[in-house]
Amino acid sequence: MRFFALSIALLTSAVALVAADDDAGVIVSVTEVVDCERKTERGDTIDVHYRGTLASDGSEFDASYNRGEPLTFQVGKGQVIKGWDDNLLDMCIGEKRKLTIPPKYGYGDRDMGPIPAGSTLIFETELVGIKGVTKDEL
C-alpha cells in the first residue's frame, strides 16, 4: 500500500513539473522605476513606446521609436498580444519595462511578418501616457 501511495505521489509531482514547464510565463524586468499615484488599469487607453527584438538572434523587428510615435491602445482588452495586455498594467507614466515573451503569449505558432513562428520576443517598453490622466493625478 505504501508503494502505491508513493507511486501516485511521484506521478503527481512529475505531472506538475511538466505542466509548469509548459506554462512558462512572461518575464518582466522594470528597467526604470517611477513612483506615482495613478497607475495603468485594465481598460485605460495608453501610449507606449517600444522596441521589439527576437530572443533567438537579437534582430529588431519593430520599434515605435523609429517612427517617432508611440502605439496607442486600450490595455487589458485584447487589442495587443497577451504578453503586453497582462504585463503593462500597474505602470506609471515614464516607467520602463523589459518583457521577455514566450510564443504562447506572443504570436504562437504563426509567422507574423518578420517574426518567425514559435519566437520568443523581447520588448523594451516605455509608458508615455494614459488618456485622461493629468500630471496632477500622478
Side-chain angles (χ1 to χ4, degrees):
M1 186 67 160
R2 285 185 188 173
F3 176 75
F4 180 72
L6 183 58
S7 296
I8 294 296
L10 288 174
L11 181 60
T12 303
S13 296
V15 169
L17 286 174
V18 170
D21 286 345
D22 288 346
D23 220 16
V26 175
I27 299 169
V28 179
S29 303
V30 177
T31 57
E32 187 163 323
V33 177
V34 175
D35 289 324
C36 66
E37 293 293 318
R38 175 60 163 83
K39 297 181 179 195
T40 55
E41 301 170 356
R42 192 169 304 281
D44 281 341
T45 298
I46 62 174
D47 299 317
V48 178
H49 262 308
Y50 67 91
R51 182 173 324 286
T53 57
L54 299 175
S56 59
D57 64 6
S59 63
E60 183 178 296
F61 56 82
D62 192 18
S64 66
Y65 292 105
N66 297 346
R67 292 186 295 278
E69 190 170 317
L71 178 66
T72 301
F73 64 96
Q74 239 186 332
V75 68
K77 295 292 187 175
Q79 295 180 352
V80 292
I81 60 174
K82 188 158 179 59
W84 272 40
D85 234 6
D86 294 343
N87 296 288
L88 296 178
L89 296 169
D90 297 318
M91 283 184 81
C92 295
I93 294 174
E95 183 176 328
K96 295 181 181 183
R97 292 182 182 178
K98 178 181 171 186
L99 309 177
T100 302
I101 303 176
K104 177 178 181 176
Y105 299 102
Y107 296 106
D109 293 329
R110 321 173 263 165
D111 287 331
M112 186 60 67
I115 303 170
S119 293
T120 295
L121 310 174
I122 298 175
F123 284 98
E124 298 166 25
T125 64
E126 175 184 4
L127 181 66
V128 295
I130 303 171
K131 185 176 181 181
V133 176
T134 64
K135 282 283 191 190
D136 295 339
E137 295 178 74
L138 300 175

